[in-house]
Amino acid sequence: MRVFISGASGLIGGNCLKHFSAQGCEVVGSYFSFETEGTFYFDTLNLSNPDNFDIRSFAPNVIIHCGALTHVDYCESHIEESFQKTVTSTHNLLQLATSIKAKFVYISTDYVFDGKSGPYHEDDPTQPLSVYARHKLEAEQMVLAAGPAHLVLRVTNVYGHEIRNKNFVSRIISQCLANDTLSLNIPYDQYATPVNAMDVARAMYMLLKDGHSGIFHIASTDFMNRVELSLRVLKYFPEARYSLSPMSTAGMQQPAARPLIGGLQKTKFSALYPDFLFSTVDDFVKEFL
């Protein structure tokens, strides 16, 4: 398998780069604004940029698009930028994949649902609540309409090893290890299914290796709200100094609406791979330590 990964300096992309390489694939990972070791520059908004890595010469048979603008509240007031970095970037890479006959993998989210009756199955009706969510849904629909061989993976509350420790779980761990004092204002009414980025990479590799396509939900066995997630991590740091204020989502007055009872059901994936064991938040913290 020859694989090109857009956004390989980020959380999911970085773990995909590591795992696919470990499986013996020929892999090239790209970055746009944040370079990491072993990644190459690629601007998905300008395929003719002379500084871009030459994908055509590399001739991948799989293109994985992990790059996106994920700051949900920022997207609410920067609609055009959100569209460009989520929809246009996907369109451009998808067109490139079509021209070189490569399978396309798109990373989507449980935010395409309204959060009234999660966790969700793949065929549940979508109802995005925010600019970010509408653009993610538009991009995934475009991928699915482009050809039956393509793959869409929906994920949520992704955590794991990444250089910048931007994800919520890793950030808490790093702050505790640094003996920082944490101030956490956390919604108690937002539920989801946190998943390790390495598990996303492992699941994606299995689906690609076996030629699967369409939409798959990738989730662990954990289902919890954000307060429970915070406390699950903090219990491993009895000396940690922190204040935790549980708040309602309405009380936080965030610019973008959130799906409250969100999360994903992985029954479709598990039916194909009943022996695939997902890790948990506890597993990750123990490994980190």
Side-chain angles (χ1 to χ4, degrees):
M1 197 184 302
R2 187 180 292 112
V3 183
F4 177 81
I5 303 172
S6 163
S9 62
L11 176 56
I12 293 180
N15 279 270
C16 285
L17 180 61
K18 180 178 180 180
H19 183 68
F20 279 67
S21 298
Q23 301 308 306
C25 299
E26 189 176 351
V27 189
V28 167
S30 76
Y31 74 93
F32 177 64
S33 59
F34 178 73
E35 182 179 6
T36 55
E37 184 178 357
T39 58
F40 297 83
Y41 179 81
F42 194 87
D43 181 1
T44 57
L45 298 180
N46 181 12
L47 299 186
S48 62
N49 188 324
D51 295 328
N52 281 353
F53 175 81
D54 188 354
I55 294 183
R56 291 187 181 275
S57 294
F58 177 58
N61 49 26
V62 176
I63 293 179
I64 303 170
H65 186 28
C66 298
L69 182 59
T70 58
H71 194 315
V72 179
D73 290 328
Y74 180 88
C75 290
E76 205 68 14
S77 56
H78 297 78
I79 299 174
E80 180 59 29
E81 183 179 353
S82 172
F83 183 87
Q84 289 289 322
K85 291 184 176 178
T86 297
V87 182
T88 303
S89 68
T90 303
H91 173 268
N92 290 345
L93 268 187
L94 183 59
Q95 291 293 103
L96 179 57
T98 300
S99 70
I100 63 175
K101 296 180 171 57
K103 189 183 186 83
F104 193 85
V105 183
Y106 179 70
I107 306 298
S108 193
T109 170
D110 71 332
Y111 272 47
V112 299
F113 301 106
D114 60 14
K116 294 181 179 179
S117 57
Y120 290 94
H121 294 277
E122 287 85 354
D123 57 357
D124 285 331
T126 55
Q127 184 64 49
L129 301 178
S130 64
V131 169
Y132 164 80
R134 290 198 299 272
H135 289 162
K136 293 296 286 186
L137 180 60
E138 184 173 347
E140 74 167 50
Q141 290 174 335
M142 179 170 54
V143 172
L144 294 171
H150 300 317
L151 188 63
V152 170
L153 302 186
R154 291 181 182 142
V155 297
T156 183
N157 275 26
V158 184
Y159 61 88
H161 294 293
E162 64 174 333
I163 291 177
R164 290 179 287 182
N165 281 332
K166 288 175 60 179
N167 67 86
F168 182 71
V169 171
S170 290
R171 193 164 64 246
I172 291 180
I173 295 173
S174 297
Q175 289 175 316
C176 288
L177 290 175
N179 294 317
D180 294 339
T181 299
L182 286 73
S183 179
L184 300 170
N185 299 317
I186 307 294
Y188 59 76
D189 52 358
Q190 292 181 25
Y191 286 80
T193 47
V195 65
N196 192 318
M198 181 53 73
D199 287 345
V200 176
R202 291 171 54 228
M204 184 192 302
Y205 175 78
M206 296 294 292
L207 291 167
L208 286 171
K209 180 176 68 70
D210 295 337
H212 293 290
S213 59
I215 298 179
F216 283 86
H217 287 178
I218 306 300
S220 181
T221 55
D222 290 319
F223 178 69
M224 60 183 77
N225 64 38
R226 302 285 285 191
V227 172
E228 292 169 327
L229 177 58
S230 303
L231 294 175
R232 182 71 64 88
V233 177
L234 288 168
K235 76 177 183 179
Y236 290 95
F237 300 93
E239 307 297 324
R241 302 189 304 272
Y242 67 90
S243 63
L244 194 157
S245 301
M247 302 180 66
S248 69
T249 296
M252 296 186 72
Q253 298 184 327
Q254 296 165 304
R258 265 72 169 174
L260 299 186
I261 310 301
L264 303 166
Q265 296 278 5
K266 64 178 186 297
T267 48
K268 181 180 176 181
F269 177 84
S270 293
L272 292 173
Y273 303 102
D275 296 329
F276 188 101
L277 184 62
F278 283 88
S279 60
T280 65
V281 173
D282 293 274
D283 294 330
F284 177 69
V285 180
K286 292 173 184 177
E287 176 196 343
F288 204 110
L289 295 178

